[in-house]
């Protein structure tokens, strides 16, 4: 059962919306290599607002993900792609159906 999760909200810079979509699509193969990250969703909330929603069996798996390739890539490209720093919310999962 997933006990921990993340909600990451991303606001694209004007004109960078397609680049954010490409970035999120390119993250999937990296996340697929993380056995503790299940599920993982890249979503679009609106024209320039995006997000990542993912869940983990425990805090250790969440930390591994945050310090992994996607987290690093997010940090490296934040100034280029996003109007503001990514807003990362750490969540406790109360119930789930996976």
């Amino acid at each position: 059962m997933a006990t921990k999760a993340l909600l990451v909200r991303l606001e694209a810079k004007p004109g960078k919306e397609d680049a954010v979509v490409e970035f999120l699509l390119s993250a999937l193969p990296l996340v697929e290599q993380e056995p503790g990250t299940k599920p993982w969703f890249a979503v679009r909330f609106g024209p320039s607002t995006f997000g990542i929603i993912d869940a983990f069996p425990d805090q250790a798996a969440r930390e591994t993900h945050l310090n992994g390739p996607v987290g690093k890539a997010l940090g490296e490209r934040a100034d280029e792609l996003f109007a503001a720093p990514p807003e990362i919310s750490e969540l406790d999962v109360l119930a789930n159906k996976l």
Side-chain angles (χ1 to χ4, degrees):
M1 176 178 148
T3 63
K4 302 295 180 189
L6 293 171
L7 170 61
V8 181
R9 293 185 64 91
L10 308 164
E11 184 65 33
K13 284 185 174 179
K16 292 292 186 175
E17 297 85 359
D18 290 342
V20 171
V21 169
E22 290 174 22
F23 171 78
L24 292 171
L25 292 173
S26 74
L28 180 59
L30 300 173
V31 174
E32 287 176 331
Q33 297 175 32
E34 299 177 0
T37 303
K38 295 180 182 177
W40 183 87
F41 299 97
V43 298
R44 188 173 208 157
F45 294 112
S48 63
T49 307
F50 299 86
I52 299 170
I53 304 164
D54 40 16
F56 314 90
D58 54 35
Q59 179 63 27
R62 180 164 65 186
E63 290 298 323
T64 297
H65 174 70
L66 285 169
N67 296 312
V70 175
K72 289 178 184 173
L74 193 62
E76 290 170 359
R77 302 213 40 211
D79 288 343
E80 169 196 350
L81 298 175
F82 306 118
E87 181 184 321
I88 301 172
S89 299
E90 293 189 1
L91 312 171
D92 291 325
V93 177
L94 302 178
N96 69 69
K97 179 181 180 259
L98 301 175

